[in-house]
Amino acid sequence: MITFNEKNRTLKLDTPCTSYVLGIREGGFLLNLYYGQKLPDDALWPLARRHTSASFSPCDPDDPSFSQDVAPMEYPTNGRGDFRVSALSVRTGDGSSVTDLRYVSHRIFAGKPDLPGLPHLYCTDASQCETLEVTLRDPVTLVEAVLVYTVFCDCDVIAKHVRLTNRGENSVKLETALSSCLDLPSMDYDLITLWGRHAKERQLERRPLGHGLQGIQSKRGASSHSHNPFAALAQTGATETTGDVYGFNLVYSGNFTLTAEVDHNATTRVVMGICPTDFCWVLQSGESFVTPEAVLVFSSEGLGGMSRSFHTCYDAHLIRGRWKTEKRPLLINSWEAAYFDFDTDKLISFAERAKELGIEMLVMDDGWFGKRNDDTTSLGDWFINEKKLDLGRLVSSVHALGLKFGIWYEPEMISPDSELFRAHPDWCVHVPNRKPSIARQQYVLDVSRADVRENIFAQMCAVLKNYPIDYVKWDFNRNLSEAGSALLPPEQSGEFFHRFVLGTYALQDRLTREFPDLLLENCSGGGGRFDPGMLYYSPQIWTSDNTDPIERLNIQFGTSLCYPASVMGAHVSACDRTGYRTKGDVALWGTFGYELDPNKLSAEERETVKTQVCEYHKYYDLIHTGALYRLISPWENAFVCAWSFVAKDRREALVTVVRMRKQESTLFHLKLQGLDPDTVYTVEETGERYSGALLMYAGLELSDEAENDGESCKLHLIAQ
Ligand code: GLA
């Protein structure tokens, strides 16, 4: 999968359908020669002929034919004449920030190394993947960069990260230390990103690249609602099914940058990594810094192909633990049903009704601890509010009914009105001489500190070890401001944000090791921290607090650009925008559950819920292991939206159609994707039989199905 051509001095990384080619130029410059559709092994030498000098661009003192400014630099640095965005900027004791990395060596080996303390893609078997490490070094500062690349045999993904080591005698400061750079020889691309806000996450935006800088970032301390750490570059005119598309995703849950820069030669550079604003890391002699991992995908089959590569990869190489393969319990969550207003009997009544409906787990959301009856108090006091709750009786009653039991935490937060804050006011995130800002009535707890983590973990264990709890929802309900830690010396204050994220990872790592059977679901005011970093610890994330099924279509379509159905928390709520059938059909595209008071369902609604529970079981494997095809996007059609899941062997498919808005003519054509053209499929609902070719090339004419505002229908296709 990875080969070195000694004569050409090229390194070639192959995935099943893509190639990534590096060139080691005279002088030791590492260049990115190609990334795209798979190339035959012998066709590489012309790639190195790209122009590498230009007027006004400084040239290498030893090679006047080479300027970093116009070369496709694989890991561009600051101060040596490449005026585009840098991946690395290092400040030394003499005040200089010039860095110049040159090739030293490389090695290729089976398997994939872990990234200590950081989430990352993994292989269970070394034969599934191969890794290339290229060592570069600055001859003056002796800063060493090891660029680490892994390719997998079962998906078109390249994972990249960088290990930076100070081999000099004096300390240096990393001012920018990004994870990946890709230089493309054209600007004929659209940049696609996912912007959002609370209750409106991951909205797709597509804009043509222009000269200069464009992109997204987070400085909020979390990956955030505002921008997901994902972007795609789609060749101009590329569609859901056609054209070249590059996908970029960062396995990180904190401040990030994802920037595209088009220069005067119309080449495009895409960099991603930790946001350099508010970042600085001191490296003492001999110390190393490891960047988060970047995930790159190339697809020549449009956005759909890109998404399916991410999905296959994350299902196989990111999600871990028991719940990776085990069927997730169908849950009911108390939040929208009761908010803070519950007691033991009310929750038992939810469980009793849920049991009658076939639901498998009750989740007790916010409001069970300290003296919390609203959001003004008690975060940090993770002991049971005994005035409100008899947790022992609750858990045993729920378990006696045959249901599992789950509980809510918000471990990185602290209420000013809490015993924890009164005992340790310096444990909240803060900077000297300024009162911390407040958001949702809460401060942020400084989990960059080991003593703070110890306290929170001990409190969590006291509950989780005393009661047989099956599931934890881990929430995070504000962004960070006045970001600093009482323990960090001023010269290391720029390390705070990253140390905070490492603290979260350390806590989640410890929790999942201590309780390997626990199902962990991350959440951040809905989907404010929906990223591969969190998915390394929790196999599912609550997608959005917005459970309106029509709004959810955009959110789920956007989320699916990068993330598989198996990780998207999707629930049916009491929201009355549509009937229960549509709410269920939309929530089936996810982990599925309920967010309502089951005592309030009418007899008819109860029957619908029972049908949905059966459908959940019937389609579970197809949705969780099948391939997603987005058929009609809510971004492109204001009236109808459709998607399908196709089994990997193409013997079965489930098509869902939602009529968002009624039209005068309700007739429309739906062309399916991903089927076997030569197979005949029976539509289970009608008994009609069609060839895969007809369904994909001619399409089906639909009219009566999903005719009115907010209606939906499903077609289950089974191969003959
Ligand atoms: C966040 C979550 C909700 C719920 C509340 C509880 O907003 O997204 O699902 O857990 O917190 O306070």
Side-chain angles (χ1 to χ4, degrees):
M1 288 191 278
I2 303 179
T3 47
F4 177 54
N5 181 320
E6 188 120 29
K7 191 162 150 265
N8 292 332
R9 309 271 294 159
T10 50
L11 287 153
K12 182 161 179 279
L13 297 92
D14 286 326
T15 71
C17 301
T18 71
S19 295
Y20 188 101
V21 182
L22 298 170
I24 307 160
R25 200 197 137 94
E26 235 170 278
F29 298 102
L30 189 69
L31 306 182
N32 184 287
L33 299 183
Y34 176 78
Y35 183 33
Q37 212 161 330
K38 197 164 191 167
L39 290 176
D41 285 356
D42 57 359
L44 301 177
W45 61 269
L47 296 173
R49 281 198 309 204
R50 190 162 146 183
H51 226 67
T52 50
S53 72
S55 63
F56 243 75
S57 292
C59 288
D60 182 56
D62 302 319
D63 180 0
S65 69
F66 182 77
S67 166
Q68 298 194 25
D69 194 28
V70 286
M73 301 302 292
E74 178 62 12
Y75 197 60
T77 54
N78 199 48
R80 204 64 173 150
D82 182 342
F83 300 109
R84 295 162 293 178
V85 59
S86 304
L88 179 70
S89 175
V90 182
R91 194 161 301 271
T92 46
D94 61 9
S96 157
S97 71
V98 178
T99 308
D100 191 0
L101 293 174
R102 306 294 179 103
Y103 171 86
V104 176
S105 62
H106 74 266
R107 65 184 190 114
I108 297 166
F109 53 93
K112 182 175 190 303
D114 285 351
L115 278 70
L118 282 166
H120 54 85
L121 302 184
Y122 67 91
C123 281
T124 41
D125 174 350
S127 66
Q128 292 177 333
C129 60
E130 213 165 51
T131 296
L132 163 69
E133 289 190 351
V134 186
T135 301
L136 310 174
R137 191 174 300 156
D138 183 311
V140 175
T141 62
L142 300 183
V143 167
E144 178 186 280
V146 180
L147 314 187
V148 188
Y149 306 79
T150 299
V151 288
F152 302 84
C153 64
D154 58 354
C155 52
D156 286 307
V157 157
I158 297 179
K160 283 172 134 188
H161 73 274
V162 182
R163 197 167 60 241
L164 296 155
T165 303
N166 180 1
R167 300 270 177 223
E169 284 179 0
N170 303 314
S171 70
V172 298
K173 276 185 182 168
L174 305 177
E175 294 186 335
T176 302
L178 301 188
S179 304
S180 162
C181 172
L182 182 70
D183 276 1
L184 296 167
S186 145
M187 66 176 286
D188 297 330
Y189 297 101
D190 293 337
L191 177 65
I192 296 175
T193 53
L194 300 171
W195 70 275
R197 58 171 165 74
H198 177 234
K200 196 178 173 70
E201 294 88 341
R202 289 170 295 287
Q203 306 288 306
L204 186 148
E205 187 161 68
R206 182 169 180 158
R207 50 188 143 150
L209 284 182
H211 287 89
L213 292 166
Q214 49 243 283
I216 51 170
Q217 65 172 26
S218 169
K219 298 196 295 173
R220 294 167 180 268
S223 49
S224 89
H225 294 89
S226 309
H227 295 289
N228 195 264
F230 160 84
L233 279 192
Q235 184 186 23
T236 308
T239 66
E240 180 66 23
T241 52
T242 63
D244 289 355
V245 178
Y246 295 91
F248 306 89
N249 196 203
L250 192 66
V251 188
Y252 193 55
S253 313
N255 293 348
F256 72 90
T257 180
L258 222 163
T259 302
E261 180 172 10
V262 177
D263 70 0
H264 53 273
N265 291 321
T267 72
T268 303
R269 169 169 290 175
V270 184
V271 292
M272 63 176 144
I274 294 177
C275 183
T277 308
D278 295 329
F279 170 83
C280 185
W281 197 275
V282 178
L283 270 191
Q284 302 295 346
S285 173
E287 283 183 352
S288 295
F289 178 85
V290 178
T291 73
E293 188 161 72
V295 180
L296 279 75
V297 164
F298 171 80
S299 159
S300 58
E301 292 172 6
L303 287 162
M306 173 203 70
S307 297
R308 286 185 290 277
S309 288
F310 276 119
H311 298 173
T312 309
C313 175
Y314 289 171
D315 277 332
H317 302 292
L318 180 64
I319 304 304
R320 301 177 302 158
R322 171 178 164 188
W323 298 100
K324 173 179 179 163
T325 45
E326 201 163 319
K327 195 167 176 183
R328 317 269 174 82
L330 197 169
L331 68 84
I332 185 160
N333 180 295
S334 68
W335 182 243
E336 288 191 35
Y339 297 102
F340 295 101
D341 179 21
F342 59 80
D343 58 19
T344 312
D345 289 331
K346 189 182 227 178
L347 293 179
I348 291 176
S349 83
F350 287 177
E352 285 167 350
R353 295 295 83 69
K355 167 76 182 171
E356 292 158 13
L357 298 168
I359 293 169
E360 299 162 321
M361 177 161 75
L362 173 73
V363 176
M364 175 177 65
D365 209 281
D366 194 355
W368 60 268
F369 51 91
K371 54 183 177 66
R372 188 152 165 109
N373 289 314
D374 56 37
D375 63 9
T376 60
T377 161
S378 300
L379 296 169
D381 295 347
W382 300 109
F383 47 83
I384 297 146
N385 180 349
E386 280 170 0
K387 278 202 191 135
K388 186 168 176 176
L389 205 68
D390 178 345
L391 188 60
R393 181 162 75 87
L394 175 61
V395 181
S396 55
S397 307
V398 171
H399 279 166
L401 286 165
L403 267 67
K404 293 183 186 304
F405 182 78
I407 196 168
W408 181 94
Y409 278 99
E410 199 178 357
E412 299 129 302
M413 296 293 157
I414 181 165
S415 302
D417 178 13
S418 64
E419 290 183 19
L420 192 70
F421 186 72
R422 281 184 284 275
H424 301 284
D426 61 328
W427 279 13
C428 86
V429 170
H430 68 286
V431 293
N433 307 320
R434 281 185 204 279
K435 206 171 166 207
S437 303
I438 197 124
R440 207 199 185 202
Q441 325 266 8
Q442 63 200 54
Y443 295 150
V444 184
L445 194 60
D446 181 4
V447 298
S448 74
R449 294 173 59 145
D451 54 350
V452 172
R453 293 199 298 272
E454 205 53 51
N455 176 294
I456 292 300
F457 191 70
Q459 288 200 59
M460 292 178 82
C461 281
V463 174
L464 298 174
K465 286 205 164 146
N466 276 330
Y467 303 92
I469 291 173
D470 307 287
Y471 161 108
V472 162
K473 177 174 169 187
W474 181 307
D475 215 333
F476 181 87
N477 277 321
R478 66 159 286 183
N479 296 138
L480 273 62
S481 55
E482 299 84 25
S485 168
L487 289 194
L488 268 185
E491 64 277 15
Q492 283 179 269
S493 58
E495 299 179 11
F496 175 74
F497 274 113
H498 185 56
R499 286 186 182 276
F500 181 87
V501 178
L502 294 179
T504 294
Y505 291 153
L507 265 177
Q508 294 211 350
D509 186 58
R510 200 164 163 195
L511 185 75
T512 50
R513 277 176 204 278
E514 188 78 32
F515 303 97
D517 291 331
L518 194 76
L519 172 57
L520 182 63
E521 175 153 4
N522 267 292
C523 173
S524 170
R529 208 162 55 170
F530 202 117
D531 58 62
M534 301 320 284
L535 288 173
Y536 185 67
Y537 304 98
S538 71
Q540 55 194 58
I541 301 180
W542 181 226
T543 309
S544 177
D545 278 346
N546 192 335
T547 48
D548 174 316
I550 303 299
E551 298 280 318
R552 267 281 177 143
L553 293 173
N554 293 66
I555 296 170
Q556 294 182 186
F557 261 77
T559 305
S560 79
L561 274 195
C562 193
Y563 306 101
S566 64
V567 308
M568 288 205 280
H571 298 170
V572 172
S573 75
C575 141
D576 55 13
R577 174 88 169 265
T578 72
Y580 270 83
R581 178 167 162 172
T582 305
K583 293 192 270 192
D585 286 349
V586 174
L588 268 181
W589 180 0
T591 58
F592 204 77
Y594 290 86
E595 192 94 18
L596 46 75
D597 182 344
N599 295 302
K600 293 188 179 152
L601 291 170
S602 69
E604 195 190 335
E605 288 164 351
R606 288 164 53 78
E607 289 315 305
T608 312
V609 169
K610 284 184 188 164
T611 310
Q612 288 170 347
V613 170
C614 293
E615 288 178 342
Y616 166 78
H617 293 295
K618 178 173 174 185
Y619 297 125
Y620 186 91
D621 286 341
L622 181 54
I623 291 170
H624 282 246
T625 64
L628 170 74
Y629 290 86
R630 291 176 295 251
L631 303 174
I632 305 178
S633 157
W635 309 104
E636 285 161 10
N637 189 313
F639 301 99
V640 187
C641 166
W643 64 95
S644 68
F645 288 95
V646 179
K648 288 264 151 74
D649 64 5
R650 301 194 289 178
R651 305 290 299 164
E652 189 189 358
L654 177 67
V655 181
T656 307
V657 178
V658 177
R659 171 83 56 183
M660 297 177 290
R661 215 160 291 132
K662 194 176 160 85
Q663 272 161 297
E664 242 159 60
S665 160
T666 53
L667 207 69
F668 70 98
H669 256 86
L670 182 64
K671 285 189 179 176
L672 303 191
Q673 297 172 32
L675 302 177
D676 176 7
D678 300 324
T679 294
V680 172
Y681 294 87
T682 302
V683 180
E684 192 188 11
E685 290 73 13
T686 61
E688 284 163 338
R689 304 175 70 196
Y690 306 101
S691 70
L694 182 127
L695 290 166
M696 292 193 293
Y697 311 147
L700 275 185
E701 201 171 86
L702 299 175
S703 59
D704 300 343
E705 299 87 351
E707 204 180 347
N708 295 310
D709 272 19
E711 284 183 357
S712 66
C713 71
K714 296 194 289 304
L715 305 176
H716 184 210
L717 309 180
I718 304 162
Q720 290 309 296

